[in-house]
Amino acid sequence: MSDLDKKVQQATELLPGAGYPKQKSKYKSVAIKAGLVALAFFISAATFSARGAFRESQQVNTNVCSQVAELIPEKNGVVWKLSKVYFGTPRFKKRAVEWLGGAIRVPTETHDKMQPVGIDPRWETFGVLQDYLLQAFPKVHTALELTKVNTYGLLYEWKGSDASLKPLLLAAHQDVIPVENATLGQWQHEPFSGHFDGEYIWGRGSSDDKHGLIGIMSAVESLLELKFKPTRSVVLAFGIDEEIGGLNGARSLATVMLEKFGPKSFAMLIDEGVGYGPQYGQIFALPGIAEKGTLHIRIDLASPGGHSSVPPPHTSIGMLAKLLVEIEENPFEAHLTRGSPTYKTAQCLAEHGPEMLPALRKNIRLSQYSDEALREAEILLLQNPMFKTLVGTTQSINLIQGGIKTNALPEQAWAVVNHRISTESSLNETTSRQTDLLRPLASGFNLSYTAFGASLSEPDVPAYGSLNLSDAWGTGTEPAPVSPTDENAAPYDLLSGTIKAAYNSHRGIKGDNNVVVSPGIMPGNTDTRHYWKLTDHIFRYRHVRLGGCLPNNPHTVNEGILISMLVMEADNFVEIIRFFTALVLNADESELI
Ligand SMILES: *[C@@H]1O[C@H](CO)[C@@H](O)[C@H](O)[C@H]1NC(C)=O
Ligand SMILES: *[C@@H]1O[C@H](CO)[C@@H](O)[C@H](O)[C@H]1NC(C)=O
Ligand SMILES: *[C@@H]1O[C@H](CO)[C@@H](O)[C@H](O)[C@H]1NC(C)=O
Ligand SMILES: *[C@@H]1O[C@H](CO)[C@@H](O)[C@H](O)[C@H]1NC(C)=O
Ligand SMILES: [Zn+2]
C-alpha cells in the first residue's frame, strides 16, 4: 500500500458509514441528477410510441435534423487506428476500471453552505484526489501544464504546435453529491468502494461526473502513450463544486481562462450532460445545446406578534400558506415554440424515430408551417409530464419556516420556491410573473409589498405587515445561450460525427445512422453556466449509454436510469475514453472549427 493508498483509505474512513456491513439492496439511492438526466432523455417512448408505418408513410425530410457522416480521423488516422486496437484489449479495460475506481475511492463530497477553500476543512479531500491524479496519470502531468485555481480547481493546458488554432475545452467536475446516511443500507456496494463486479464499477461519482473526469484524463494519457502530438491546444478544466453551484471551482476557473485565453477563445466546449439511448425505435444521442435557467425566490412575510389568545384573522404563517397555494394553483404555462431547443428535439425524433405515433409525427412535421399543427403537436407532447418540464418554466416550493412557539403569534414566516426557467423565458419574466401573481393577495392582506428590490406599495400608507420577494441566494441564472446547430455550425457537426465514430468504433460496425444525433436540452445546471464567455459552442454531453444496459434485467426504464447513475458499465467507460480520444483527434485536424 503506497502512501497515496493510505491517504485514500484514511479519507475513506472519515466517511459517513465507512465499514458498514454490505447489504443486499434494490439500488435505490437516488441522485437528484439521475432524475434530471432521466427526464432529459426519456421524453418518452411510452406515451406516444406505436409501430407506425414510418417508412411507407412519409420519407425523411432531409432539411430537418440532417445527419452528418461518422467522422473518422484522417490526418491523425494512425493514432486513431492504434488507439482502436489498444482500447479493445482486456489489459486496457482493466486499466480503465482501475483508473475510475481509484477516483471514486476519494470521497469528494460537496455540501450546501461550505465555507471557502482554506477555511472549511471539508475541501481537503480534493487534495487527495489531486495526488491520485498525479500518480495515476504521469504522462499527463509531464506533458501538460497544470495551473491550480483556488487550490483545488484544475486547469491543464496541452499546448498544440499551432497557436493560431482555438483550443478545444473539455470540462468535468471533481465533486460528488453527499451520500445520505439513511441510504447506506440500500447500497449493494459501499458508495465509495469503486468496486468492480466484473461488469460494473460501483460508487458515487461513477457516472456523475468522475466518468467524465477520468474519461478525459484516460484519453489524454493514452494519446500520450501513443505518441500523439497535438496541433491544436487542448485545455482541461475540472471544477470542485458543480453540485453546489460552481462558485468556488468553475467560476474561478472561468476567470483564469478568460484572462489567459480571452473571450470566445475556445473552438468548442464539452461538459457533462445527457448521453445516448433508444427512443422511438432508434438510438439517439442528445447533446445539450442549452440549459434552463435557475431562480430561487424567497418569500418573506412579517406581521405583528403577540399572544395567541387574541389572534388576528391571519397570522404570518396563514398568509404565507395562502400565497403558496396561489403559486401552486398557477403553474407557468408551457408552450412548444418553433426553433426552440425542445422543438428541435421533437423534430429530430419525428424525422428519425420509426416508432413514433404517426399522428404525432405528422403534426410535428406540419408544425413548421402550420400554427394549428404546432398546437396539436404541443398538446400531444405536453401530455408527457417530463417533456412538459423540459419545455416550460417549473416551480417547486422546497423550503418553509415560521413560528417559534405554540402560543406565540409568528412574526416571521418564509419559504423558498425553486424555478427552472424555460430556455424561451428569462429571469425578468419569471420574477415579474410571480410578483404580479401575488400582488392581489398582498393588498388583500394589507401588506406592504417589496419585490426584488422594488417597493410596490405606497410608502406612507400604513400596512398590517410586509411581504418581500427576493432572489434567495443571489444566484439566479438566465437560461444559457443556445449553441448553434444549423448547417454551418461546424463544432456541432464535428461533435455529431465524433459521437458516431466512437459508437461505431466501439462496436466494430459501420454506418452513419446507427446513432442519430439530435439537439437536446439540459434541465439541470452544469459548470458551463460560468463558461458562456469562453465560446458560443457549448455542448453538454457524455458518451454514456442509457437504458438497456442494466444489471438484473430491471423492469422499467426509469429504474434502469437510476441504476445507471450509481454504476458505470466498464465496457461503456472504455467507450467514453474512445469518444474523448476521437474528439481530440478530430478537433485537432479540423480546419472548420
Ligand atoms: C452520518 O454518519 C456519520 C458516522 O456515523 C456521522 O459522523 C455523520 O454526522 C452522519 N451525517 C449525518 C448528516 O447525519
Ligand atoms: C421585465 O419584464 C417586464 C414584464 O415582462 C417588462 O415590462 C420589463 O420591461 C422587463 N424589464 C427588463 C429590464 O427587461
Ligand atoms: C392596514 O393596516 C394598518 C395597520 O394595521 C391600518 O392602519 C390600515 O387602516 C389598514 N388598511 C386597510 C386598507 O385595511
Ligand atoms: C427583502 O429581502 C432581501 C433579502 O433578504 C433584503 O435584502 C431586503 O432588505 C428585504 N427588503 C425589505 C423591504 O424587507
Ligand atoms: Zn454532474
Side-chain angles (χ1 to χ4, degrees), residues 43-45 47-54 57 279-282 284 345-365 377 380-381 387:
I43 286 170
S44 183
T47 320
F48 308 112
S49 75
R51 289 205 170 260
F54 177 59
S57 71
Q279 297 260 7
Y280 301 115
Q282 164 69 45
F284 282 91
T345 307
Q347 279 189 306
C348 211
L349 296 175
E351 286 314 312
H352 297 284
E355 292 176 13
M356 182 182 276
L357 199 73
L360 178 59
R361 184 195 322 283
K362 186 167 150 235
N363 279 311
I364 292 174
R365 281 182 169 164
L380 288 169
L381 285 167
F387 191 79

Side-chain angles (χ1 to χ4, degrees), residues 52 61 72 197-198 228 251 287 293 299 426 553 583 588:
N61 179 347
I72 296 171
D197 65 8
F228 171 68
R251 191 172 61 173
I299 305 174
S426 63
N553 194 17
L583 187 64
D588 188 75

Side-chain angles (χ1 to χ4, degrees), residues 304 443-447 461-465:
S443 71
F445 284 129
N446 189 9
L447 303 171
V461 177
Y464 174 65

Side-chain angles (χ1 to χ4, degrees), residues 295 297 327 332 393 395 419 421 425-440 449 451-454 456 469-471 478:
L295 175 67
I297 297 182
I327 287 172
F332 287 72
T393 296
Q395 56 180 20
H419 299 80
I421 304 170
S425 183
S426 63
L427 279 174
N428 179 44
E429 201 170 72
T430 309
T431 54
S432 307
R433 195 268 190 185
Q434 299 299 58
T435 302
D436 292 346
L437 179 69
L438 301 183
R439 195 192 298 260
Y449 192 15
F452 308 99
L456 302 174
L469 306 190
S470 59
D471 179 342
E478 297 281 3

Side-chain angles (χ1 to χ4, degrees), residues 507-539:
R507 290 162 180 78
I509 56 176
K510 292 205 183 309
D512 295 332
N513 280 8
N514 294 321
V515 54
V516 166
V517 181
S518 160
I521 186 174
M522 189 74 193
N525 289 117
T526 65
D527 274 342
T528 62
R529 72 167 92 175
H530 301 289
Y531 297 153
W532 295 351
K533 289 185 185 148
L534 298 172
T535 174
D536 291 333
H537 303 278
I538 299 179
F539 302 104

